[in-house]
Amino acid sequence: MAQPLELKKTLNLPKTDFPMKAGLPQNEPRQLEAWHNGNIYEGILEARKGKPLFVLHDGPPYPTGEIHLGTGLNKILKDLVVKTKSMAEHYAPYVPGWDCHGLPIETQVEKELGGKGKVPPAEFRKLCRQFALRYVEQHKKDFKRLGIFGRWNDPYLTMSHEYEATIAGAFLDFMEKGYVYRGRKPVYWCIYDSTALAEAEVEYEDHTSPSIWVKFAVVVGHRGDIAGLGSDVSAVIWTTTPWTIPHNRALAFHPDFEYAVVDTEKGALLLASDRIAALQAECGIKEARVRATFKGRDFDGMKFQHPFLPIQVPGILADYVTLDQGSGVVHTAPGHGADDFYSGQKYGLEIYAPLDDKGLYLEGLPEYKSKDVFTANPIIVKLLAERGALLGNNEYKHSYPHCWRCHNPVIFRATEQWFIKMDQAAHGKEKSLRQEALEEIHQVKWFPAWGEDRMYEMIEKRPDWCVSRQRFWGVPIIVFYCEGCGTRLEDFKALRSVVKWFEKEGADAWYQHTSEELLPAGTKCSCGSTKWRKENDILDVWFDSGSSNLSVLKGAEWPADVYLEGPDQYRGWFHSSLLVATGVRDASPYRGVVTHGWTLDEQGRPMSKSLGNALYPIEICEKWGADLLRLWVGSVEYQADVKMSERVMTQLSEAYRKIRNTFRFALGNLGDFNPSRDALSNDHLEEIDRWMLDRTAELVKKCREWYANYEFHRVYHAIHDYCVVDLSAFYFDVLKDRLYTKAPKNKSRRSAQTAVWKISSALVRLAAPILVFTSEEIWKHFPKSQGEPESVHISLFPEAAVLACGIAKDAAEKWERLAQVRSAVLVALEQARAAKTIGGGLEAKVHLHAGPEAAGLQKLLEEKQSLLPALFIVSQVEVHSSAIPASVPAETLPGLTVKIERAEGAKCDRCWNYSTHVGENSRYPTVCERCSDALAEIENDGSASVAVS
């Protein structure tokens, strides 16, 4: 007879090359290289050919500086969307893009040149293009490092010839439909960059302004006597922009508010009755006795004397006057405010704003003429004081509009600009651009739902779109003026010939060719002239990026299924894209919009270099790995603001370790498992294995629903909890005895391996969109079925219906209850350990009894008694039909009583269980009856060849 086998070597201990330590910062770059060499993105698209199309359209960032955490959050979220749709069997291309025009690039290039106007426009544009390309390449490298798949070798750039031609063509479409006009209106203006700004190019920051209260004397004889006012009365206005006082052209009253003349030590003052107390507090007025009261409408048409200019200004009525601040009488300068402008139009007031592009006064008194507006503030305050018109002067800290690039305060300035009419219907249509856009908003699915109201409100209330900029780096406005008579060329066939030039040479053609070259030969004005002058302005950069859907999305790709950006894009890219698409194609460019929040530090502060609290994606990759950053993105409720810190990353590292170890256990126990050869059909699996597969199928179903609704954090938490609680702490723990001690080919062990294989296969594919590197590493070590792809990212999500075993409802409920019993027993075992009754669980014998208050539990325990030792990981379990002396009620399961004693018999040298049958096998005298059976099976099978020497 052959020698007995060496016991230790007959155990099926876990064996895998999958390392416990991830080493993500070192290993991820190697995986990136492998993906690049294997053309992973192209491979995924090839595998999905013919499947339903899904398009996420990428919002283009500016190629300036290194990517920050907010950009990383944005790109990873997009990658999660694309990967989940691909694994849900969609053809899901991803074309990244960059917004290469505009002030951000110009500002950086001007810094490198040492100032503005250092080189001619054509050379400046060349330098801007080079700068943008430099950072596009850096961004590509950084985004790829995050495990993001896409068409990196051919992204879309707003400065490409094709794209610039699309922008120009879209503008001509607007113009030909009658939406475009040139007019004089107040717009945001940056005096430092000398350009108009769109609302989306303005950011609000804290700013301290002078807060002044100023007297405008009533002019007697212009309804002053009729109203019962004398020559001693002055209306009071309040403003935080003293520099606009020279351009005042009216005082606005609310028609329905009550106004009062109050006698004070500073004169008889006219203001809203509800603002008298504020006037006293702000201006140090001790006594204010009401002389008479009036309604605001009484002052319509009354005249008031400007405090230092020889002009009289009228009283006008306006519903926008409020009682929140100031005096209830609004200083109105039509050249410097939106409400002021519309009141100016209504009342025929002068739109007066004599400032140059640097904010210098071109007209006015010697005290402030040729000064810039902010320098002029204290000068004008002093002038008011000298003229006896200043009632009060304080500092006022408030949120004020600043330029998004130079972060200096901006002004409202009336200038000649190009606008798109929001309330104009296109030729041959009844509804205006605003009406059509508002209707389209309701056709879009918004994540979160409040996005619909936010977008609706912004479109509903926005003014006409100022689309012109006084810069060079962008797409020129395709407008020509006759040099003979100044008439604008409206031959759209001729104008579209310029678009063809852009297709060949890009927008640089505008600066490199004459008008005569750009236009068809013989293009003639009605006056007979053939000489044309080109417009100098370029288009708003938001018109550029808003045209991306027209340039990038081809055929069935338009409209996109989803746009995904931060909350600022409701006034930015979401906004401009909707208007451009509605204006050109009469429909929204997106079916869905997903919004994420801002990235904050642990204290809830925005991250910035100046605060020293910024974390950058590449730094995180170098310290923790891209998968940890992706895990953070997948773990947070990104639709709100999200916090990031080293502490957060440390916590996630621990969560990652637990998930990784769960897969490592699975791989270690599948080392000898070949699915094609060893997998059992569902009806041959043990009941607990079938139950766990059904639970996994339910997890798959939920995760796929959450992925479809972009609820990534719910997927992460479900996978994490399943790995840690359901698998590692329960199911895998229970399986260890079966996996390690049964004969390798034993049906019970193969049942466990089949379940572990199916569960792990499902989980690694569910986790793949989030843990792109780790899931690929697991997949390499995973025993695959015939025909499965080499990359997990080419595989598909698991199907819940395929995974489920369909265990009967009552059987599933029994296992749920047994799991509760296990939890109660584990508490009792821990107490027995603490009391030194036992050392480990295998030294225990568990006595159980369930009373009538735990309905049906006693019967269940008796039915499953043979399975309980493995379930509890103890040596013996006895179920008593009556109360157990000296037993303890279970803390977590009313009606169950538990008693822990030391196990009977001797310890088996092979499985470490205690048994009264140890010693009965003469060939293996130190093993229990279970191991005797396993050893006999091994010897009969010949699968173990290691004998005692």
Side-chain angles (χ1 to χ4, degrees), residues 481-682:
Y481 304 95
C482 174
E483 290 193 356
C485 66
T487 300
R488 179 162 60 86
L489 177 63
E490 295 188 358
D491 181 346
F492 287 97
K493 184 177 180 181
L495 291 171
R496 290 190 187 279
S497 68
V498 179
V499 176
K500 294 177 182 177
W501 278 96
F502 286 9
E503 289 172 354
K504 292 183 290 182
E505 300 182 11
D508 289 344
W510 189 259
Y511 301 92
Q512 295 169 346
H513 296 279
T514 65
S515 300
E516 288 69 31
E517 290 174 312
L518 294 171
L519 292 169
T523 301
K524 186 182 293 187
C525 179
S526 58
C527 74
S529 174
T530 58
K531 296 292 184 181
W532 299 95
R533 173 176 56 85
K534 290 180 283 187
E535 170 64 57
N536 291 323
D537 289 352
I538 64 170
L539 282 164
D540 172 17
V541 70
W542 289 107
F543 193 93
D544 289 15
S545 60
S547 303
S548 63
N549 64 92
L550 306 176
S551 177
V552 180
L553 306 180
K554 309 296 185 184
E557 295 173 347
W558 198 98
D561 290 285
V562 72
Y563 278 31
L564 188 157
E565 302 297 336
D568 53 335
Q569 298 311 314
Y570 283 92
R571 62 191 184 105
W573 190 56
F574 296 159
H575 195 120
S576 64
S577 296
L578 177 64
L579 293 182
V580 170
T582 304
V584 175
R585 294 191 178 174
D586 305 317
S588 167
Y590 40 71
R591 296 187 179 100
V593 169
V594 179
T595 310
H596 63 76
W598 304 108
T599 53
L600 310 174
D601 69 7
E602 201 166 16
Q603 284 74 46
R605 300 174 300 173
M607 290 190 171
S608 69
K609 284 183 179 179
S610 59
L611 288 175
N613 63 350
L615 284 173
Y616 292 90
I618 298 309
E619 292 176 358
I620 293 171
C621 290
E622 290 171 352
K623 184 172 183 178
W624 287 290
D627 262 2
L628 262 293
L629 179 60
R630 295 180 69 96
L631 199 64
W632 170 72
V633 173
S635 71
V636 296
E637 293 191 45
Y638 66 86
Q639 292 178 357
D641 293 344
V642 292
K643 293 182 179 180
M644 165 62 96
S645 65
E646 294 227 359
R647 187 176 65 85
V648 168
M649 292 306 296
T650 300
Q651 291 172 343
L652 281 173
S653 296
E654 179 61 18
Y656 171 84
R657 184 188 65 79
K658 290 177 179 178
I659 293 171
R660 185 180 181 90
N661 284 345
T662 301
F663 279 109
R664 189 169 187 272
F665 175 89
L667 293 172
N669 285 284
L670 294 173
D672 65 337
F673 184 80
N674 182 327
S676 302
R677 180 194 66 208
D678 302 322
L680 303 183
S681 60
N682 287 348

Side-chain angles (χ1 to χ4, degrees), residues 369-385:
K369 186 178 179 182
S370 301
K371 302 284 195 306
D372 75 77
V373 294
F374 295 116
T375 301
N377 267 335
I379 296 171
I380 290 170
V381 172
K382 181 182 177 185
L383 187 61
L384 289 166

Side-chain angles (χ1 to χ4, degrees), residues 431-451:
K431 293 179 181 176
S432 68
L433 180 60
R434 190 190 309 276
Q435 290 172 321
E436 289 196 353
L438 290 174
E439 289 180 2
E440 285 300 309
I441 289 169
H442 296 314
Q443 308 306 314
V444 176
K445 190 167 185 181
W446 301 87
F447 302 87
W450 52 253

Side-chain angles (χ1 to χ4, degrees), residues 927-944:
V927 305
C928 66
E929 70 279 14
R930 293 164 60 253
C931 288
S932 292
D933 292 343
L935 291 166
E937 190 174 343
I938 291 169
E939 288 182 332
N940 289 338
D941 185 58
S943 57

Side-chain angles (χ1 to χ4, degrees), residues 204-416:
Y204 283 81
E205 301 176 16
D206 287 341
H207 182 70
T208 300
S209 300
S211 166
I212 61 172
W213 299 70
V214 180
K215 296 192 294 184
F216 280 66
V218 171
V219 177
V220 178
H222 288 83
R223 298 189 59 208
D225 294 334
I226 297 172
L229 298 175
S231 59
D232 63 332
V233 177
S234 295
V236 179
I237 65 97
W238 170 81
T239 184
T240 58
T241 55
W243 65 267
T244 62
I245 294 287
H247 304 157
N248 175 280
R249 291 299 180 266
L251 302 186
F253 297 79
H254 193 289
D256 300 325
F257 290 171
E258 180 183 272
Y259 290 82
V261 173
V262 292
D263 290 315
T264 75
E265 64 267 31
K266 294 187 178 183
L269 306 176
L270 170 63
L271 71 161
S273 298
D274 287 352
R275 300 302 297 166
I276 295 172
L279 171 75
Q280 289 182 273
E282 292 284 329
C283 300
I285 294 174
K286 294 178 181 178
E287 293 186 12
R289 184 170 50 84
V290 176
R291 179 194 297 179
T293 60
F294 307 87
K295 285 295 184 182
R297 64 176 62 89
D298 296 334
F299 304 104
D300 186 16
M302 186 174 289
K303 294 290 185 178
F304 300 87
Q305 180 61 49
H306 192 284
F308 56 74
L309 293 176
I311 61 171
Q312 296 174 357
V313 299
I316 62 173
L317 304 181
D319 290 336
Y320 56 75
V321 177
T322 70
L323 299 174
D324 297 336
Q325 290 176 310
S327 65
V329 182
V330 175
H331 150 56
T332 301
H336 297 295
D339 289 334
D340 306 48
F341 174 79
Y342 291 117
S343 287
Q345 285 192 316
K346 178 180 177 181
Y347 284 91
L349 305 176
E350 180 184 15
I351 311 300
Y352 187 64
L355 304 174
D356 71 4
D357 291 353
K358 292 294 183 183
L360 303 178
Y361 288 91
L362 299 174
E363 299 176 9
L365 299 182
E367 286 89 340
Y368 55 83
K369 186 178 179 182
S370 301
K371 302 284 195 306
D372 75 77
V373 294
F374 295 116
T375 301
N377 267 335
I379 296 171
I380 290 170
V381 172
K382 181 182 177 185
L383 187 61
L384 289 166
E386 291 172 349
R387 300 296 177 93
L390 186 67
L391 287 170
N393 177 22
N394 301 289
E395 286 191 345
Y396 179 64
K397 189 174 183 179
H398 59 138
S399 182
Y400 187 85
H402 286 65
C403 175
W404 67 329
R405 295 317 302 174
C406 69
H407 297 286
N408 286 304
V410 301
I411 64 172
F412 247 116
R413 175 195 177 205
T415 61
E416 288 283 335

